[in-house]
Every structure is written in structure tokens, then in C-alpha cells.
Amino acid sequence: MDNTGVGRMLHFFWCLKFKDIQMLSINGILSSEFINSSVEKMLKEKNYDIKHIAVELNGKILPKNKFQTTILKDGDKLEIVTFVRGG
């Protein structure tokens, strides 16, 4: 079985064990801490500088003007990208 198959199998068994626990994924890490919180609240509590990030929610870029009103729920997948200056 390849790595993808192993990952799917582990995910399946994890879901069976924790089926009643609400979870979301933030940069690939599962968490229940921010269920029912706004994206803005989560970003502030995780000390992100909102001016210098982009957020993808469930495969779509989330505009900054939606951070305050978008509420995180079970099964959401967030990817947060921080812009870094360099030279």
C-alpha cells in the first residue's frame, strides 16, 4: 500500500474512534479549539499579523473582509500563508 493509502486508512480509523469530536484542520494540524470561532479570532489568538497573510478555507481564498464574519465549523480546512520579505 502506498503512503496515500496508508494515510486514508489511518484517517478512516481515526474518524471511527473520534466520530463525535468536532475537528478542523489548520495548516494540516487537527484542532477542536476554534470550532464556532471567527477566522479573525483564531488568527489573533494564534498571533498572526492579518496584514501579511492569506487564508484559504476549504480550497478557496477567503477575503480579509470576511475574516470577522466567517465562523469555523467541523470539517473546515484552513491553510494560512504568511508573506515574508526577503532580498
Side-chain angles (χ1 to χ4, degrees), residues 1-10 13:
M1 194 178 316
D2 64 4
N3 288 338
T4 304
V6 170
R8 287 181 184 160
M9 186 173 69
L10 290 173
F13 286 116

Side-chain angles (χ1 to χ4, degrees), residues 29-83:
I29 299 171
L30 293 174
S31 172
S32 62
E33 181 179 359
F34 298 104
I35 297 286
N36 297 322
S37 294
S38 70
V39 171
E40 181 179 72
K41 180 180 178 184
M42 181 273 303
L43 292 169
K44 286 181 178 179
E45 288 189 26
K46 292 184 128 326
N47 296 316
Y48 281 101
D49 182 353
I50 292 177
K51 295 177 190 173
H52 300 105
I53 63 167
V55 174
E56 180 184 284
L57 177 61
N58 300 325
K60 296 181 180 179
I61 299 297
L62 184 66
K64 290 184 190 314
N65 64 356
K66 302 280 186 184
F67 287 2
Q68 186 177 21
T69 58
T70 301
I71 304 301
L72 298 170
K73 58 188 180 305
D74 184 35
D76 279 346
K77 181 179 177 186
L78 280 108
E79 294 294 330
I80 304 164
V81 178
T82 304
F83 302 114

